[in-house]
């Protein structure tokens, strides 16, 4: 199974000039495997969010967590970074 996933990740892509480009890492955008890998990787986040008392929405590898204050949002951000152990791109957005 790992070899199959590695093969899917390391496949190249055709650029806008129809030239082949090898890929060394990452899943190409729009790849069939992308949502599956996102579900596997973010399962822990889903379990964590189910225990929180705040709304959580996830679609593939994008997610939104609603917080009552900026302080609470920053706290969630810290917890998620610790949970996933990555430098995930987070953007705190204020909704008025």
């Amino acid at each position: 199974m790992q070899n199959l996933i590695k093969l899917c990740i390391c496949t190249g892509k055709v650029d806008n000039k129809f030239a082949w480009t090898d890929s060394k890492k990452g899943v190409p955008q729009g790849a069939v495997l992308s949502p599956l890998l996102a579900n596997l990787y973010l399962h822990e986040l889903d379990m964590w969010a189910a225990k929180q008392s705040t709304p959580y929405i996830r679609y593939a590898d994008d997610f939104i967590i609603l917080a009552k204050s900026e302080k609470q949002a920053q706290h969630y951000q810290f917890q998620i970074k610790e949970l996933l152990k990555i430098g995930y791109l987070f953007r705190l957005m204020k909704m008025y």
Side-chain angles (χ1 to χ4, degrees):
M1 184 66 146
Q2 285 180 329
N3 287 338
L4 181 59
I5 292 171
K6 185 176 180 180
L7 180 64
C8 291
I9 290 173
C10 293
T11 54
K13 62 182 178 180
V14 177
D15 65 18
N16 58 355
K17 296 181 181 178
F18 300 102
W20 182 260
T21 305
D22 286 329
S23 178
K24 301 294 182 208
K25 63 180 180 178
V27 179
Q29 188 172 3
V32 175
L33 194 58
S34 185
L36 173 65
L37 292 177
N39 284 337
L40 291 173
Y41 186 76
L42 295 174
H43 178 72
E44 290 295 321
L45 176 65
D46 294 338
M47 297 298 100
W48 173 86
K51 296 176 186 173
Q52 306 306 308
S53 60
T54 189
Y56 164 75
I57 304 151
R58 182 167 77 82
Y59 180 78
D61 62 347
D62 295 322
F63 60 90
I64 296 172
I65 298 175
L66 303 177
K68 294 180 180 177
S69 68
E70 187 172 351
K71 183 177 179 179
Q72 186 183 38
Q74 289 171 344
H75 177 70
Y76 288 150
Q77 182 182 30
F78 176 78
Q79 286 185 314
I80 293 167
K81 282 184 177 182
E82 289 294 310
L83 176 71
L84 299 178
K85 305 235 185 298
I86 58 167
Y88 215 85
L89 173 63
F90 281 97
R91 203 173 25 212
L92 295 180
M93 298 177 358
K94 292 182 183 179
M95 304 302 280
Y96 299 100

